[in-house]
Amino acid sequence: MTATASSPVSFDGRFARELGEMSIPWQADEAPDPRFVVLNKPLAGELGLDPAYLRGSDGLRLLIGNLVPDGATPVAQAYTGHQFGSLAPRLGDGRALLLGELMDVEGRLRDVHLKGSGRTPFARGGDGRAVLGPMLREYIVSEAMHALGIPTTRSLAVVATGQQVQRETMQPGAVLTRVASSHLRVGSFQYARGTGDIGLLRRLADHAITRLHPAAAAARHPHLALFQAVISAQASLVAQWMLVGFVHGVMNTDNMTISGETIDYGPCAFLDAFIPATVFSSIDETGRYSYRNQPAIAEWNLTRLAESLLPLFHDEQEQAIALAQESLAGFRQQYGAAWSAGMRAKLGLAAGVEDDVAATMVDELLSILQAGRADHTAFFRSLGAAARGNTGPARSLLPDPAAFDAWVERWSAEDPDADAMDRVNPAYIPRNHLVEDALAAGTGGDLAPLGQLLAAVTNPFVERPGLERFAAAPPVEFGPYRTFCGT
Ligand code: AMP
Ligand code: MG
């Protein structure tokens, strides 16, 4: 039985209370034999949760929803989703629950969420389960993103349930305990709009302003300001993805947050070779969510958000549309500015370098990189050495370095700042082949490779001796890489 027992922390159930039309109170399935696989101690600390408590039997049960903490009302959240462009009006948490909200030590309200906690009324044909490999994958990649300074949901723990789950083969079942500033998605607004209840839509928008974009409350038009804040957050987020070579892989509207945090690490992966058309997901046959399409897809999703919010923008639809379009135009401009500034930083260019000079330099370098199919992460990292006068590492990544040599001469004349470059060009990302190794070992009970990989990617900018294999491009026999959804 799921118990309500006294817990050393008190949760809130704000979403459940304020947005009852969008939440179904529900309980996590009882895990027959829960066991820790990984616990994020620094994150526990941020949340004011004692790792020693969490490691005990009550803490373990709390983390998977089998002990409902004081104040919590676990709910499955309702949302809509455009999945690969097709509308699914009633998607919702099919295998997940919002356990509740928790005030962290800095006074910020954070969602604590369970993934893989059993079937809910939104499960449709699904079994409500998650398996260990994919939950560890989300843990690794989300914590790597956080360490890279990229907004993301966080991973507090992965607990094996003791259940075997049918996938292609039988796999150990697991629950991921996920933390976010909120789980509101573009699809949450599509859902509220779809009900036809404008009062609900307004309540949802006000809830989002209070929790995520409080500055919008003081604007002349708070709901329009909310929309603009989401545009800014997403423009910045997707620029950061592009700068590190991250491919989300399933940018459906239910997988795009209102906070601007990266969410739902299913088929995501980092580029190895710089090939802009790269798609990893096995089901993305048209390349809709390829690396290079991500900014355009973000804009498409934000247009769906605008459509959902129109009744709050203005009573006259035409005027509401005009306001939405004016705001949406800001996406390209802000995305472009964020990306250009990020690229300048990757090349270590000083503020005095003219924008057109920097832009030409960036374009030329990306052409060289693409023509040479160079490893994205290793190449940018190697530019730090090049800025210090050693072009050997960068040249070794290019089959024909002649064009690069000419480029380096022009670039060096701008006196790039190597130390600043090392602070933005990571040495260690969760490389696909290493993630696969860690998941395979972890699923088989050997957690050492997972621990080593996490140690590398959670401190990505400081190169350490002994970690060379975490910085190296994959062996040739590895590619091409395929990833999977809904696992
Ligand atoms: P995702 O692609 O992971 O964002 O999931 C899309 C939708 O499918 C969401 O509504 C999920 O809750 C649901 N879903 C994914 N896997 C399962 C599962 N095993 N059982 C039930 N629902 C699932
Ligand atoms: Mg999702």
Side-chain angles (χ1 to χ4, degrees):
M1 260 309 290
T2 300
T4 306
S6 196
S7 59
V9 278
S10 189
F11 277 64
D12 198 354
R14 186 182 293 195
F15 183 89
R17 199 166 56 243
E18 293 183 1
L19 294 155
E21 299 93 327
M22 299 181 60
S23 30
I24 300 180
W26 205 254
Q27 288 193 342
D29 282 359
E30 194 75 16
D33 185 18
R35 282 167 204 264
F36 263 109
V37 181
V38 53
L39 174 67
N40 189 337
K41 280 200 215 162
L43 180 58
E46 270 181 46
L47 295 171
L49 295 169
D50 177 6
Y53 167 77
L54 292 179
R55 285 198 171 279
S57 65
D58 277 1
L60 182 60
R61 293 172 63 244
L62 183 149
L63 284 168
I64 57 174
N66 288 173
L67 184 156
V68 176
D70 296 337
T73 308
V75 292
Q77 291 180 298
Y79 47 84
T80 293
H82 268 101
Q83 300 183 296
F84 289 89
S86 312
L87 188 69
R90 195 183 138 91
L91 217 46
D93 289 332
R95 56 162 172 175
L97 293 175
L98 174 65
L99 185 60
E101 301 99 8
L102 196 58
M103 193 69 83
D104 73 14
V105 293
E106 289 180 17
R108 296 172 301 185
L109 204 58
R110 314 269 289 264
D111 275 10
V112 180
H113 183 96
L114 314 171
K115 191 163 173 178
S117 49
R119 299 195 68 206
T120 76
F122 298 109
R124 295 168 294 162
D127 61 6
R129 310 253 174 247
V131 298
L132 184 56
M135 294 307 100
L136 290 176
R137 189 179 160 77
E138 173 153 346
Y139 188 105
I140 296 166
V141 184
S142 64
E143 288 306 304
M145 291 289 268
H146 175 70
L148 289 166
I150 301 177
T152 176
T153 62
R154 304 288 307 277
S155 295
L156 178 59
V158 175
V159 173
T161 59
Q163 215 151 25
Q164 289 292 307
V165 176
Q166 180 72 55
R167 291 292 181 259
E168 258 173 39
T169 57
M170 292 305 273
Q171 299 275 324
V175 172
L176 171 78
T177 315
R178 179 161 81 177
V179 175
S181 69
S182 121
H183 282 76
L184 291 184
R185 311 140 190 269
V186 168
S188 310
F189 283 85
Q190 292 179 290
Y191 183 88
R193 178 70 204 273
T195 65
D197 180 349
I198 304 304
L200 171 63
L201 182 66
R202 182 171 292 114
R203 242 186 305 130
L204 177 63
D206 291 340
H207 173 96
I209 288 173
T210 308
R211 279 204 66 182
L212 301 171
H213 300 289
R220 199 163 57 87
H221 195 326
H223 295 140
L224 195 61
L226 167 66
F227 179 50
Q228 290 163 354
V230 180
I231 289 173
S232 301
Q234 286 293 340
S236 162
L237 177 68
V238 177
Q240 293 180 74
W241 290 356
M242 298 302 279
L243 292 164
V244 296
F246 176 76
V247 185
H248 182 282
V250 60
M251 290 177 71
N252 296 336
T253 56
D254 52 305
N255 291 338
M256 186 184 242
T257 58
I258 298 303
S259 63
E261 289 170 326
T262 312
I263 193 171
D264 271 4
Y265 293 87
C268 65
F270 283 77
L271 293 181
D272 291 308
F274 182 64
I275 302 169
T278 298
V279 173
F280 294 110
S281 170
S282 56
I283 60 167
D284 190 357
E285 283 157 12
T286 63
R288 179 180 171 91
Y289 298 140
S290 66
Y291 170 75
R292 69 176 168 201
N293 274 4
Q294 295 185 120
I297 291 293
E299 190 181 37
W300 192 92
N301 288 347
L302 290 165
T303 308
R304 306 289 82 76
L305 177 61
E307 289 164 0
S308 307
L309 288 169
L310 281 180
L312 303 184
F313 291 163
H314 204 282
D315 291 340
E316 302 286 333
Q317 197 185 15
E318 269 180 30
Q319 299 208 42
I321 292 172
L323 288 168
Q325 282 173 337
E326 202 180 301
S327 300
L328 268 173
F331 177 81
R332 288 186 190 199
Q333 184 270 324
Q334 291 177 67
Y335 170 79
W339 185 83
S340 300
M343 272 294 169
R344 287 182 73 110
K346 287 177 86 67
L347 299 190
L349 297 176
V353 179
E354 296 289 341
D355 279 344
D356 56 339
V357 172
T360 305
M361 219 169 261
V362 167
D363 286 350
E364 287 174 356
L365 184 70
L366 292 180
S367 300
I368 292 167
L369 206 53
Q370 191 176 346
R373 301 193 155 213
D375 184 88
H376 185 269
T377 303
F379 186 82
F380 276 104
R381 183 70 187 188
S382 74
L383 290 180
R388 295 182 178 95
N390 175 13
T391 55
R395 295 181 91 248
S396 75
L397 295 166
L398 295 165
D400 174 14
F404 175 70
D405 291 340
W407 181 89
V408 164
E409 220 165 283
R410 294 193 295 282
W411 173 62
S412 302
E414 303 294 347
D415 201 12
D417 181 341
D419 290 340
M421 292 170 68
D422 284 351
R423 290 193 291 270
V424 295
N425 293 316
Y428 311 116
I429 53 150
R431 287 187 170 280
N432 302 318
H433 64 295
L434 299 174
V435 171
E436 290 304 317
D437 287 351
L439 301 190
T443 302
D446 173 11
L447 295 173
L450 173 76
Q452 289 156 6
L453 179 59
L454 280 171
V457 301
T458 54
N459 184 5
F461 297 111
V462 182
E463 235 167 306
R464 283 99 80 199
L467 296 189
E468 291 74 14
R469 72 190 180 89
F470 295 95
V476 272
E477 55 293 359
F478 179 68
Y481 188 49
R482 301 314 275 159
T483 57
F484 303 92
C485 285
T487 41

